[in-house]
Amino acid sequence: MCRAPDCLLWLLRGVPRQRACTLFIISFKFMFLVSIMIYWHVVGEPRPQGQLSNLPVDVPCPRVVPPTPPSSTPAQGNIFFLETSDRTNPNFLFMCSVESAARAHPESRVMVLMKGLPGGNASLPRHLGLSLLSCFPNVQMLPLDLEELFRDTPLATWYAAAGQRWEPYLLPVLSDASRLALMWKFGGIYLDTDFIVLKNLRNLTNMLGIQSRYVLNGAFLAFERHHEFMALCMRDFVAHYNGWVWGHQGPQLLTRVFKKWCSTRSLGDSHTCRGVTALPCDAFYPIPWQNWKRYFEDVSPEELPRLLNATYAVHVWNKKSQGTRFKATSKALLAQLHARYCPTTHEAMKTYL
């Protein structure tokens, strides 16, 4: 067995054409690995958006909050948010997402499951975001036990092996898997933490959103418990797993499963088949990710209702917009959405930023 340097020299011996090909392959693989590491370092781990290190850990609660819903165990109809990293300090967009959902659904439980929260009877960490969200009696923040979530699903074996290897997109892939298992086990509504909810979503069942004419997106999911479409998604997740391609286990998975489910090759503007509906772009993705900067541009108050007339919730594309600053009192579209749909978070932004 030759040593690594000797093997490399052996590979480089030969005719000039073979030598050039060998050098090209080695260079390409090296640059590919470096680019992945740089990407993960720069954008793979979301930065604390719009927050400062000297923020207080408590915030006064507003006088008017949604009424307390009936107490019960996790059941179909709940609204779920997930944090699959160890972070326990929600940023302002996260806070706005949960608050807007709580205000739009005073009769529902809004459950924020966070992997970093301690289990048992331990108290919540002291952070501004957790303090603010605790003001809403229909919001519950609970620890996320991933092993328990994946138990008795096709994803259990995959998760057991996931920690034994390095992958460039493991955190988002883990989030993709978690939402599928969550919808399968409990049903209800799942939302990413970069949504701002505008309307009540309880009339949406067995639905997801079209991101563009070519792809669906799982940032919003609404399904009945144990729906076969979710079971098919989990099986596809394992059968066609590729953690090295961005979106392969998320939007691409949902798109290929939906096409198989409907026996179709294209999505169209909207599509319903076998009891599952793909809603048009305007429902949850009115502004394409390529135009994410529009959220930080001024919009007249009169234009706002027309712009979002057909929209249930606005996806802000945090992967692109994270770190972009805006004045809470400005006429920027995002500032107006904060002021209207998550006023408690908006007041905190005006006070502390």
Side-chain angles (χ1 to χ4, degrees):
M1 185 64 134
C2 62
R3 295 178 302 168
D6 296 334
C7 289
L8 182 58
L9 289 173
W10 180 81
L11 285 171
L12 294 176
R13 295 191 187 117
V15 298
R17 179 176 297 179
Q18 292 175 331
R19 188 181 308 160
C21 290
T22 302
L23 283 171
F24 174 77
I25 293 171
I26 293 173
S27 300
F28 176 79
K29 289 186 175 181
F30 176 75
M31 293 305 297
F32 177 71
L33 180 60
V34 170
S35 65
I36 288 177
M37 294 177 69
I38 293 174
Y39 173 88
W40 188 245
H41 177 72
V42 174
V43 301
E45 189 74 15
R47 301 182 294 273
Q49 177 192 353
Q51 303 213 79
L52 302 176
S53 58
N54 60 348
L55 289 177
V57 295
D58 295 302
V59 63
C61 291
R63 293 182 179 179
V64 180
V65 293
T68 306
S71 176
S72 62
T73 57
Q76 184 171 323
N78 290 330
I79 299 169
F80 294 96
F81 292 90
L82 287 172
E83 178 54 77
T84 51
S85 76
D86 290 324
R87 291 187 297 273
T88 58
N89 55 335
N91 61 28
F92 283 115
L93 181 55
F94 190 132
M95 293 153 60
C96 183
S97 297
V98 178
E99 179 187 346
S100 64
R103 288 182 177 276
H105 305 85
E107 77 291 350
S108 301
R109 285 201 306 165
V110 179
M111 305 187 69
V112 184
L113 307 180
M114 306 181 78
K115 179 174 174 285
L117 289 183
N121 296 321
S123 58
L124 292 174
R126 298 191 67 198
H127 293 302
L128 173 69
L130 299 183
S131 172
L132 184 145
L133 296 178
S134 297
C135 293
F136 298 90
N138 60 333
V139 173
Q140 285 187 281
M141 287 161 285
L142 300 171
L144 173 61
D145 185 338
L146 290 172
E147 184 176 356
E148 181 61 30
L149 177 62
F150 293 133
R151 192 187 307 276
D152 299 324
T153 76
L155 303 172
T157 303
W158 165 82
Y159 178 67
Q164 302 175 14
R165 59 180 180 267
W166 181 87
E167 292 179 3
Y169 310 122
L170 184 57
L171 195 58
V173 166
L174 191 59
S175 177
D176 292 331
S178 299
R179 69 193 68 179
L180 299 179
L182 195 64
M183 289 293 95
W184 164 255
K185 281 197 164 183
F186 301 108
I189 296 170
Y190 165 80
L191 292 167
D192 271 1
T193 56
D194 55 353
F195 263 115
I196 299 178
V197 181
L198 314 185
K199 302 174 183 175
N200 190 291
L201 310 175
R202 289 298 299 272
N203 65 326
L204 305 181
T205 306
N206 302 330
M207 296 182 180
L208 66 170
I210 296 176
Q211 174 182 312
S212 70
R213 60 183 298 185
Y214 302 110
V215 67
L216 301 175
N217 195 307
F220 155 79
L221 296 170
F223 279 88
E224 297 171 322
R225 182 172 180 259
H226 288 172
H227 196 281
E228 180 58 27
F229 184 82
M230 286 290 104
L232 186 60
C233 286
M234 289 191 294
R235 292 195 294 269
D236 184 280
F237 187 101
V238 176
H240 302 105
Y241 184 76
N242 187 344
W244 289 79
V245 177
W246 174 263
H248 184 80
Q249 303 301 120
Q252 293 181 30
L253 179 149
L254 292 167
T255 303
R256 63 179 177 265
V257 171
F258 186 81
K259 288 180 178 179
K260 182 179 180 180
W261 179 268
C262 296
S263 301
T264 184
R265 293 185 177 181
S266 61
L267 296 177
D269 294 330
S270 63
H271 206 113
T272 301
C273 64
R274 297 176 58 193
V276 177
T277 299
L279 294 169
C281 299
D282 284 348
F284 290 93
Y285 312 101
I287 296 178
W289 67 265
Q290 298 92 332
N291 300 333
W292 64 268
K293 291 184 179 179
R294 190 173 182 187
Y295 284 112
F296 300 89
E297 297 174 357
D298 287 356
V299 173
S300 69
E302 295 76 24
E303 184 183 356
L304 188 60
R306 294 194 298 269
L307 180 65
L308 302 175
N309 179 56
T311 302
Y312 287 94
V314 171
H315 192 247
V316 183
W317 307 110
N318 185 55
K319 185 175 179 295
K320 291 289 182 181
S321 64
Q322 59 182 344
T324 304
R325 304 294 295 271
F326 66 96
K327 289 185 177 181
T329 55
S330 71
K331 293 184 179 180
L333 174 56
L334 190 55
Q336 293 191 56
L337 291 173
H338 276 73
R340 182 173 300 190
Y341 298 103
C342 54
T344 304
T345 300
H346 187 245
E347 284 300 319
M349 293 177 68
K350 290 194 297 182
T351 302
Y352 301 120
L353 288 185

